[in-house]
Amino acid sequence: MAWGEFILALAVFLGSHVIPARFRGPLVAALGRRGYVIGYSLLSLALLYWLILASGRAPYVELWPQWPWMRWLVNIAMPVAVLVAAVGGMAGLMAGFALWGAAHLVANGDLAHVILFGLLLAYALFGLALGLRRGAAMRPTWPRLALAVLVWLALYLLHPLVIGVSPQP
C-alpha cells in the first residue's frame, strides 16, 4: 500500500474536477451559485490537503537533491502567487496557483511531489489559458491587497503545523 494512498488521493482529486461538470447545473439549481461555489471550493481544498499529505507519506524516491536556494525560491514566489491570486479574478487565481505549483515543483525533487506539483502546474496553466481567453481583468483593491498579505502570512506561519514542513530556508 506504499503508493496506494497517494494514487487514491490523486484519482479522487482529479475526479472531483472532472465529474462535477456533469452535475453542476442541478447543484447550482439546488444550492444557488454562491452555495455551489462555496461547497465545491471547500471540497477541493479538503481533497488538495489530503493529496498533499498523501504525497508526503508516499515512498521517497529522489529525482534531484534539495538545495537551500530552492526554499528561498518558494519563499520569494509565494507572496507574489498569493497577491496575483487575490487581485486577478479567475485568471489571477490560476496564475497564482501555477506559480505556487512551479515553485514547489522545483523545491521538492522526489517522485511523489514532482507528480503532484507537475500535474497541478499543468492544470493551473490550462485554467490560466481559459481565463485569459475570457478576458478576465485584474482588480487590485486595498481590501484584496490586505487579504493577500494576511493569507500569505497565515500560509507561512501555519505551514509547519498544517503540512508538517517548515518553509524557512
Side-chain angles (χ1 to χ4, degrees):
M1 174 97 180
W3 285 94
E5 181 189 10
F6 176 69
I7 292 167
L8 178 62
L10 184 60
V12 171
F13 180 80
L14 293 175
S16 75
H17 285 75
V18 174
I19 293 170
R22 299 191 184 269
F23 301 105
R24 182 176 182 181
L27 287 172
V28 169
L31 303 172
R33 178 159 166 54
R34 178 177 228 147
Y36 172 80
V37 169
I38 291 170
Y40 186 67
S41 297
L42 291 174
L43 174 65
S44 294
L45 283 173
L47 292 176
L48 177 62
Y49 181 63
W50 176 36
L51 180 56
I52 290 169
L53 293 180
S55 68
R57 291 191 284 255
Y60 185 82
V61 179
E62 184 178 284
L63 300 178
W64 58 79
Q66 292 184 357
W67 300 101
W69 68 266
M70 294 172 174
R71 286 208 179 185
W72 279 109
L73 172 71
V74 175
N75 281 297
I76 292 167
M78 285 308 298
V80 175
V82 173
L83 179 63
V84 168
V87 302
M90 185 53 77
L93 181 65
M94 289 292 112
F97 200 53
L99 186 54
W100 169 78
H104 282 78
L105 176 66
V106 171
N108 293 278
D110 64 285
L111 182 59
H113 285 98
V114 167
I115 292 169
L116 167 67
F117 292 116
L119 285 173
L120 293 176
L121 173 59
Y123 180 77
L125 290 173
F126 178 73
L128 176 59
L130 289 177
L132 291 174
R133 182 188 286 168
R134 294 179 183 149
M138 293 184 77
R139 295 176 190 88
T141 62
W142 286 113
R144 287 183 185 209
L145 295 173
L147 178 63
V149 170
L150 291 175
V151 167
W152 170 78
L153 189 60
L155 290 171
Y156 185 81
L157 294 175
L158 295 175
H159 202 278
L161 296 171
V162 176
I163 305 300
V165 178
S166 173
Q168 296 179 3

